[in-house]
Amino acid sequence: MKMDHLRGLFEQLDVRDVSTFIASGNVLFSTDSDDREALRTAIEDHLDSELGYGVGTFLRTPAELAEIAALDARGASDEWGPESAHYVVFLQAGAPAELREGLVALGSEIDDFDVTEREVQWRTRGKVSESPLFGQAIERVFRGTPNTMRNMNTVKRLVAKTTA
């Protein structure tokens, strides 16, 4: 989907200062709503109605994004090496026990996971596409848990954009 179309869909909602960031569905906006669940549901319902299919929505405040960006997935860059990849998997709700257990079981010298309440930080040596977990193995663990994944560099760029 073109980001200008997505931005237009959000502009139809009760939000303001709408902008998109890179072509991966990141939408920045301001709202007076304190009810995160109602806002998430309203966005998902609107997108479903306008697009004809469901779109999972994962809301974070600028402060929450800054906190996520400040975290390191168990080890600084010098421990993992400059070629390591660091991703954040955003969840809609708290990480279920089965997900936590599944990620612990997948941990290795190549892949490491750090689970917080609504995020999973995944660091892998080398490119994520070269990880033995990339694809079906990781998808099996997350099955049934709505999620979306972003590179940590993207998260940091989002933080910079929201604090500019």
Side-chain angles (χ1 to χ4, degrees), residues 66-153:
E67 187 176 311
I68 293 163
L71 294 175
D72 189 44
R74 289 196 208 148
S77 295
D78 57 346
E79 178 184 341
W80 283 86
E83 301 303 315
S84 67
H86 188 170
Y87 282 81
V88 179
V89 182
F90 292 91
L91 309 174
Q92 286 179 339
E98 311 84 60
L99 175 62
R100 291 174 183 273
E101 293 164 8
L103 291 171
V104 167
L106 289 177
S108 69
E109 290 185 14
I110 296 173
D111 295 283
D112 188 56
F113 300 93
D114 189 23
V115 184
T116 59
E117 181 61 25
R118 295 187 307 138
E119 291 84 33
V120 174
Q121 301 226 8
W122 176 15
R123 189 178 294 267
T124 185
R125 295 184 193 281
K127 296 178 183 176
V128 73
S129 61
E130 295 170 353
S131 166
L133 303 180
F134 184 72
Q136 289 186 353
I138 198 77
E139 289 172 13
R140 265 193 300 276
V141 173
F142 281 98
R143 187 167 288 129
T145 302
N147 68 84
T148 188
M149 185 168 66
R150 297 292 184 274
N151 185 296
M152 179 56 89
N153 293 331

Side-chain angles (χ1 to χ4, degrees), residues 42-64:
I43 292 168
E44 287 183 347
D45 290 349
H46 179 66
L47 294 175
D48 186 23
S49 171
E50 294 296 316
L51 299 172
Y53 56 87
V55 178
T57 302
F58 305 84
L59 301 177
R60 299 299 187 273
T61 66
E64 289 170 334

